[in-house]
Amino acid sequence: MSLHQLRIAWGASLLIACGGGPPPSQPTVAPPRAPIPRTRGPSCRAVADRMAAVIGEHAPSEPEGDIHAHALYELRCDTDSWTDEARSCLATISSDDEADGCLRLLDGDQRRRLADDRARLAADRVDAHE
């Protein structure tokens, strides 16, 4: 072996021994699991049931309003694909203030469409009573 070959061999072994080789591959680490697993929110029917019940508490003389409000909320929830978070919130309300807070979880277009439908329902009720 020539002196040149010996130097190359020695330098290569020194590089390997000192960690001068390619970096080891990073081990794949799974992300930590959430302590509470996310679950799917309640159905739009459950949201509509709760909303209609709360509305009915304020207008017991108009039971047909509960049916229409139920249909309105179920339709908007299904059609607009309300999030699990919004459905979970709305399915547990017990007051108008809580409902208002939950409705803030909807995006602007969802809130606008709901408000438009509620206004139409209110106008239809006024027309029906005249």
Side-chain angles (χ1 to χ4, degrees):
M1 183 182 270
S2 72
L3 185 58
H4 177 68
Q5 290 172 333
L6 184 60
R7 285 183 187 159
I8 292 175
W10 182 75
S13 62
L14 185 60
L15 274 175
I16 292 171
C18 294
S25 63
Q26 295 292 328
T28 304
V29 177
R33 293 185 61 152
I36 300 172
R38 289 192 53 84
T39 56
R40 184 161 163 75
S43 68
C44 286
R45 180 174 296 261
V47 169
D49 289 345
R50 189 67 203 140
M51 294 297 292
V54 170
I55 291 167
E57 291 170 4
H58 300 294
S61 64
E62 295 186 34
E64 75 279 358
D66 292 355
I67 294 167
H68 294 134
H70 187 282
L72 180 146
Y73 282 98
E74 189 170 5
L75 174 70
R76 284 279 48 103
C77 176
D78 279 333
T79 304
D80 292 344
S81 301
W82 291 358
T83 65
D84 288 339
E85 183 181 14
R87 290 193 321 271
S88 294
C89 187
L90 288 164
T92 61
I93 64 163
S94 59
S95 69
D96 290 340
D97 288 339
E98 288 178 2
D100 290 342
C102 293
L103 291 173
R104 289 188 188 111
L105 297 171
L106 302 177
D107 69 33
D109 288 336
Q110 292 169 328
R111 282 193 304 271
R112 182 186 47 75
R113 285 188 292 269
L114 179 61
D116 291 348
D117 285 355
R118 288 169 65 181
R120 274 193 291 278
L121 180 59
D124 289 346
R125 285 183 180 163
V126 168
D127 290 343
H129 291 310
E130 291 180 346

